Amino acid sequence: MMAMRGSTLIGVAILVWVAWIVLATDSEARIERTCQPVLWFGNVATSLTQLTFPKQQESVHEAFESADYACRFTVWRLLHEDTWIESHQGNESSDQSGESDQ
């Protein structure tokens, strides 16, 4: 039997991750699942930092928390920004027409 190459394992892992995202029931769960690997790597990096450089542990943890926020914000913008802008432009135009009536 042939051994699996590392690239094959990475490819399978990415396919499983994408399927996990697609199978989510709502948009918020999809965003969370999309960015989950950032937290996984953050946990590993924080643990390794705690073992080797304990004083730097908190800064590494904060860096990955910031990266998780950036990931969620970016994915949200990709998926929902246009809808959000359209809904707020509709509110602004009705607010402006209401102001001109007074």
Side-chain angles (χ1 to χ4, degrees):
M1 186 169 151
M2 291 179 40
M4 290 183 107
R5 292 180 14 201
S7 61
T8 303
L9 291 176
I10 292 172
V12 169
I14 290 172
L15 288 175
V16 168
W17 174 62
V18 169
W20 185 51
I21 294 167
V22 171
L23 293 174
T25 56
D26 64 351
S27 181
E28 186 176 327
R30 285 189 186 101
I31 292 171
E32 183 178 328
R33 289 180 179 190
T34 299
C35 297
Q36 194 66 40
V38 174
L39 292 177
W40 294 337
F41 287 115
N43 286 337
V44 170
T46 302
S47 296
L48 291 174
T49 303
Q50 185 179 13
L51 287 172
T52 55
F53 305 105
K55 293 180 181 178
Q56 300 299 320
Q57 171 191 351
E58 192 60 35
S59 62
V60 171
H61 177 72
E62 289 173 3
F64 277 97
E65 287 290 324
S66 177
D68 179 55
Y69 174 78
C71 176
R72 289 171 188 261
F73 179 74
T74 302
V75 173
W76 178 86
R77 283 191 65 179
L78 289 171
L79 297 177
H80 301 294
E81 182 181 35
D82 292 338
T83 306
W84 185 83
I85 289 173
E86 288 174 8
S87 70
H88 280 67
Q89 285 177 344
N91 291 340
E92 288 176 5
S93 65
S94 64
D95 288 346
Q96 290 174 356
S97 65
E99 290 176 4
S100 63
D101 292 339
Q102 294 177 352

